[in-house]
Amino acid sequence: MGAERRAGREVEGVKDRATEKTPAAVLEEAKQAGEIRARWAWVEPTVWTERMLAALEQGVKGGKWFSLMDKVYALPNLRAAFAKVRANAGAAGVDRQTVTMFEQHLETNLERLAAELKAGSYRPQSVRRKWIAKAGKQHEQRPLGIPTVRDRVVQTAMRNVLEPIFERDFATHSYGFRPRRGCKDALRRVVELLRAANTYIVDADLKSYFDTIPQLTLLEEVKRKIADGRVLAVIEQYLTNSVMDDLEQWTPPSGTPQGAVLSPLLSNIYLDPLDHLMRQEGYEMVRYADDFIILCRSEAEAQRALERVQQWTAQAGLTLHPDKSHIVDATQRGGFDFLGYHFERGLRWPRKKSLAKFKEAVRAKTKRTNGQSLNIILTTVNRTLGGWFEYFKHSDPRTFAPLDGWVRMRLRSILRKRHAGQGRGGGNDHRRWPNAYFAARGLFSLATAHATACQSSRR
């Protein structure tokens, strides 16, 4: 009996000591979990629990993730995926089913997708090809792939699962199609490097990148982290999926479809080895999707960097455009273009294509035959001007006044026609409808907005 009582007291003592430590331990665990969740606040919470996020940060055994398909087809993830598809809207695919039509029987459709994914019987439908005009080029077009709504839901659900796994190790100088990163972050980095005397630029252009990615090599890159055969099989089906162009159906021999939800992630996965190679060899690279530059301190360094990129792309089955890949000195006339801006001699302004696209958008809203009231026209034009300025407000100050004048000329031409005149607004029209006339009616002024932004930054 005495021994039993002593054993009982010892067990109680262990319990008491454990209980004494529990509050601190629980608080520490909660704190750590909160910090991890904050770092990964953008991930889909129905997929990435605290336990999975902890495993993500600590690293999984062998660096590979198994058993992911059950997380793809989980109904909460599919519902979250559909919410993103609905927010992005988009056209119907080859089955002509719109987002609204899919939503009318949402739970039934999602349960059917979950069952097909679980059984391994899911097959993506053909991608509908649509041709859209290239930015700033009225007579040139580029292909856009439009998957069906059901396939967009599955791809989004798969991206919810896969993206954090790869995002964990992506290079810091990659900015395109990544959470909490964007064009402005990349541009800020370019300015920092230029100010640090990295003025010899390797301006590289990958020829038809999305259409030429070798699919088998891409799958091998995915397999470096993903070991779930069912997930890999679905990715392969997307890559080898047929395309419907009007009544013609064919299967691309390479590439990943532009317009597919998974394509941006897959494109970053394929270029990630190049990112890390450049970092390991000490080159300052800034990449946004397939658009990248390398900023160097000397022409010799830039030449070595270009040769290294040429070697890597050749081994990776990609092609650098021979006429668009070159070295420039940013301190001299000529400069270089990157993400809509032109950089030259310490200044930057919108590149020619950006200006052409801007004018194309304004022209569409300021046709002389426009029958809307001036107030309505100004409202629609202001949306274009405000959005454009938000991106290009860091341009050289001399950029804005001429564009303001051009916009007012378009508006004067409308008013001139309404008063039985012909041709462009000019001459006496400036006195009849002076700049103050448009300012009083609320026309957005790029030059005024820039001056205001400069004053705010100085304060």
Side-chain angles (χ1 to χ4, degrees), residues 317-331:
L318 302 174
T319 304
L320 281 181
H321 201 297
D323 300 325
K324 297 181 180 179
S325 299
H326 52 277
I327 296 171
V328 299
D329 182 352
T331 65

Side-chain angles (χ1 to χ4, degrees), residues 33 49 160 275:
T49 62
N160 287 346
D275 292 338

Side-chain angles (χ1 to χ4, degrees), residues 160-231:
N160 287 346
V161 174
L162 298 181
E163 189 171 32
I165 294 172
F166 290 95
E167 182 65 30
R168 174 184 183 269
D169 299 316
F170 277 160
T172 56
H173 59 253
S174 165
Y175 296 91
F177 306 127
R178 293 185 61 188
R180 295 183 169 181
R181 287 167 170 256
C183 290
K184 290 188 176 182
D185 301 302
L187 290 168
R188 275 191 286 269
R189 181 58 180 159
V190 170
V191 171
E192 288 174 3
L193 290 169
L194 287 172
R195 287 174 177 170
N198 295 278
T199 55
Y200 286 89
I201 314 300
V202 177
D203 189 1
D205 184 276
L206 289 171
K207 190 175 181 180
S208 303
Y209 172 62
F210 281 86
D211 294 332
T212 59
I213 300 174
Q215 294 169 348
L216 291 178
T217 313
L218 172 57
L219 280 171
E220 290 302 314
E221 288 299 323
V222 176
K223 288 178 183 178
R224 290 180 183 274
K225 293 182 181 292
I226 307 300
D228 188 320
R230 291 184 296 174
V231 169

